[in-house]
Amino acid sequence: MPFVAARGPDQNMRTLRQTIEVQVLEKHAPAHVVVNAAEEVVYFSTRTGPYLEHPRGAPERQLLGLTRPELRADVRAVLRAAMADRRHVSRRAFLVNDNRRTTVLIDAEPIGGDVTDTPDILLVFRTEPAGETAPSPDETANADVSRTEALERTICELNEKLQTTIEEYETAVEELKSANEEMLSVNEELQSTNEELEASKEELQSLNEELNTINSELTIKVDEIDRAHSDLRNLYESTQIATVFLDKNLVIRQFTPAAHKFFAIRKGDIGRPLTELASVNAFPDLQEQISMVFADGQIIERQFEFGADKLTYLVRLVPYRRSTGEIEGVVVTFFDVSHLARAQAQQEVLIAELNHRVKNMLTVVIGIVRRTLGGQTGPEFTARLLGRLQAMSRIYSLLSEEHWTDIDLGQLVGQEIAAFGPDRIRTEGDGVRVSPDVALPLSMVLHELATNAAKYGALSNTAGHVQVTWAAVGDRLTLGWAEYGGPAVTPREHDGFGVVLMKGQVEHQLGGTLGISFEPAGLRVEIDIPRQ
Amino acid sequence: MSQAGVAPRILIVEDDFVIALDLATQLVGAGYAVCEPARTTAAALQTIDADRPDMALLDVNLGHGETSFDIARGLILRQVPFVFLTGYRPTDLPRDLVEAPVLGKPCPFALLQREIGRLVPG
């Protein structure tokens, strides 16, 4: 052994000893195992086969599970005793193999002294030589005695073992009972916990449902607010009414785009005081009036002209009230009331004009009454007067129907002669339109002519007729009145006012000429006036 | 301008013939002399210079948008007194003529006569 020579003699001795020890252990030492505190085998020696066997199923490390059933109670007893008392415990057990009984000596002792609380235990199994298996005949008597002793000892041991087993069993039962009770109480606790959990779960579910409801309500509200907000924004964008919302300190809170026209206000001006805008100088007493609104909550309205086009605006200062009624700000609005102002002015003009016309007409009526009657009375004068007033009334009606614009001369003539028999008055003329200033005097003239014809001329008998013609030539208008088939005509002195009236209307009022001739066939009148 | 014993000469400016005729007839009946009634500014100014009236009765509205304001100004220049006869209110007169005497239409003749007497004494 070369390596032996290489080492010292001590070393060789030690190595030799180790080799011997290993050999002794492997070949001559009894079977033994080492278990830990959990009774798990941590070491097997050789030749443990007679005492241990692997049970069916998964690999087992528990010593008691590995021990042959016949030895199990004894192994348990020595193991527990050695563990509990930390000392060497020895015990005999019996093993029967092929009707041969063998005695097994089981030794258990802690390894490494009692340093640790739960020491590993070394268990040694020794099969005692079977002395009684083949007793010699001369030993029989001795053997009987020793057999009796052995039996008694065995009985004692069995008794002891039984006692231990009973105690262990009782302990186990007790432990099981208390374990069972503990399990029962744990079960009860678990049940009550479970019930509590169920109740909590239900509460959580109902809470969840409530939250869901609240959430959907909130969603609806948010939608409504969104819609209202969008409506407001669209209203702001679309309205032509300039509106500015101010708070107590005249800070701009909101405005409509139309307000830009008055204050040159921009989106970024929200949050700035209105007074900071240079454009506010166009409204010098605005600030003062706003403070008046705050003071007494009154609505202030006033008109003013603004801008290059001098449009008239109505500015309204209205208190902005909270739901509590407290004044929180002022709403300033500008309405374009130019059309109203214009209409008002126009109305004033129209009223003045109407006044004038009414008074003028009354003056004319008074003049006609005075001139027609001329201090005379009687049915004839009354009829003549009423005829003239009715003629005036007719032409006023016609002009009124045409809204005091130009009217058709044919229509005027037709209306004037209607009362005197249209079948006997033939008309012939262009579609000429005349202004009210011309229509009024012409209708008076036609009335005078028709009245005269009915009284003295072509319409005073049954045979005569009248021819009325008119024509527009350049800027002149001519109108002819010719009577045929009436009584012989002569210039008459009666009703001189009629002739004066006709001539005056044509020559004075219309700036034209009126020619009267007394032809053999009848009266003939030629009127020539400017058309204007 | 009026001479003692001679009736004042009055110019009527009026676009409506009936009113002019009625006024003239009444004035003549009351002993006044009247010029040919005028209905336009041009005719009135011509008559003023030709006939030298002692006073004038002016209708404000002469039709076709024409007024007698320029005639009034001409009369002021010539120091001829006048009175407006109008259906309009005195406030409708132009600024320079608001001082002018105004009689409303229709005017009772007695009132007119008194005004004439005030403007053309004796």
Side-chain angles (χ1 to χ4, degrees), chain A residues 348 352-353 355-356 359-360 362-364 366-368 370-371 437 497 500-501 504-505 508-511 532, chain B residues 14-22 25-26 37-39 59 61 63-64 86-89 92 105-107 109:
Chain A
E348 276 170 21
E353 190 59 34
N355 243 340
H356 165 253
K359 286 176 179 172
N360 211 58
L362 281 173
T363 314
V364 171
I366 289 168
I368 285 178
R370 202 152 33 212
R371 289 309 114 214
D437 286 337
F497 176 60
V500 170
L501 191 59
Q505 297 281 11
H508 176 87
Q509 198 148 341
L510 296 176
Q532 289 148 18
Chain B
E14 169 64 62
D15 65 324
D16 193 286
F17 171 71
V18 175
I19 297 172
L21 176 71
D22 188 42
T25 312
Q26 287 184 88
R39 62 169 290 277
D59 176 32
N61 188 335
H64 314 296
T86 180
Y88 292 112
R89 292 167 302 175
D92 295 326
K105 269 184 176 178
C107 177
F109 190 67

Side-chain angles (χ1 to χ4, degrees), chain B residues 96-115:
Chain B
D96 58 330
L97 297 173
V98 285
E99 299 292 323
V102 177
L103 287 176
K105 269 184 176 178
C107 177
F109 190 67
L111 200 62
L112 181 62
Q113 231 178 331
R114 200 188 311 154
E115 193 64 17

Side-chain angles (χ1 to χ4, degrees), chain A residues 269-346:
Chain A
D269 291 328
I270 289 178
R272 280 180 68 193
L274 182 71
T275 44
E276 275 184 18
L277 300 178
S279 47
V280 83
N281 293 336
F283 312 94
D285 47 355
L286 186 66
Q287 217 172 324
E288 190 187 321
Q289 296 196 334
I290 288 173
S291 39
M292 276 166 67
V293 173
F294 276 120
D296 53 11
Q298 292 295 306
I299 295 170
I300 295 180
E301 284 186 356
R302 73 192 163 107
Q303 286 192 15
F304 71 100
E305 281 184 358
F306 182 80
D309 39 7
K310 285 280 167 204
L311 292 176
T312 309
Y313 290 93
L314 175 72
V315 59
R316 294 186 83 211
L317 303 172
V318 181
Y320 183 107
R321 287 181 191 278
R322 282 221 295 234
S323 48
T324 52
E326 187 187 337
I327 299 175
E328 198 180 57
V330 171
V331 184
V332 186
T333 47
F334 296 86
F335 300 94
D336 181 356
V337 290
S338 303
H339 56 290
L340 264 180
R342 270 199 301 274
Q344 217 169 346
Q346 205 172 357

Side-chain angles (χ1 to χ4, degrees), chain A residues 4-179:
Chain A
V4 170
R7 301 180 181 184
D10 284 354
Q11 193 77 28
N12 279 341
M13 198 54 159
R14 221 175 296 157
T15 310
L16 181 63
R17 187 180 156 189
Q18 277 175 2
T19 312
I20 291 165
E21 279 173 1
V22 167
Q23 195 167 340
V24 169
L25 267 174
E26 282 181 358
K27 292 197 174 162
H28 305 284
H32 59 269
V33 292
V34 177
V35 297
N36 63 13
E39 297 179 0
E40 285 172 349
V41 179
V42 294
Y43 179 82
F44 288 98
S45 73
T46 52
R47 298 187 308 278
T48 57
Y51 318 105
L52 306 178
E53 68 175 1
H54 280 279
R56 193 177 54 190
E60 177 75 77
R61 280 183 68 197
Q62 280 290 325
L63 175 66
L64 294 177
L66 288 166
T67 313
R68 284 179 183 274
E70 303 96 301
L71 299 177
R72 198 170 285 157
D74 299 295
V75 169
R76 182 188 294 125
V78 291
L79 182 62
R80 298 266 160 91
M83 256 185 201
D85 304 340
R86 289 185 197 153
R87 63 178 173 85
H88 174 254
V89 178
S90 187
R91 188 173 187 132
R92 264 190 188 78
F94 298 99
L95 199 57
V96 177
N97 272 334
D98 308 328
N99 288 329
R100 276 180 59 207
R101 203 184 66 146
T102 49
T103 307
V104 178
L105 188 63
I106 305 165
D107 287 288
E109 67 177 358
I111 294 174
D114 53 357
V115 186
T116 51
D117 284 345
T118 50
D120 291 346
I121 303 290
L122 173 69
L123 276 143
V124 182
F125 300 92
R126 262 184 294 246
T127 303
E128 290 191 333
E132 344 38 325
T133 49
S136 58
D138 58 329
E139 286 174 353
T140 307
N142 240 354
D144 282 346
V145 174
S146 62
R147 175 171 287 191
T148 309
E149 282 174 3
L151 283 173
E152 277 173 358
R153 200 171 62 235
T154 307
I155 287 166
C156 273
E157 280 172 357
L158 284 173
N159 229 354
E160 213 173 285
K161 210 186 278 179
L162 180 65
Q163 196 62 39
T164 315
T165 308
I166 287 168
E167 278 170 14
E168 281 177 7
Y169 172 75
E170 280 176 354
T171 313
V173 166
E174 287 291 315
E175 279 173 10
L176 275 174
K177 264 190 190 167
S178 79

Side-chain angles (χ1 to χ4, degrees), chain A residues 188-204:
Chain A
E188 274 169 22
E189 276 174 25
L190 280 173
Q191 267 183 347
S192 80
T193 307
N194 194 29
E195 277 166 20
E196 279 172 20
L197 279 173
E198 285 283 335
S200 296
K201 191 185 166 196
E202 277 168 19
E203 277 174 23
L204 275 175

Side-chain angles (χ1 to χ4, degrees), chain B residues 71-121:
Chain B
I71 304 170
R73 294 183 185 108
L75 289 168
I76 290 170
L77 271 180
R78 293 169 177 80
Q79 294 183 311
V80 178
F82 63 91
V83 59
F84 282 120
L85 289 173
T86 180
Y88 292 112
R89 292 167 302 175
T91 48
D92 295 326
L93 292 174
R95 236 169 242 285
D96 58 330
L97 297 173
V98 285
E99 299 292 323
V102 177
L103 287 176
K105 269 184 176 178
C107 177
F109 190 67
L111 200 62
L112 181 62
Q113 231 178 331
R114 200 188 311 154
E115 193 64 17
I116 294 169
R118 190 177 70 80
L119 292 169
V120 193

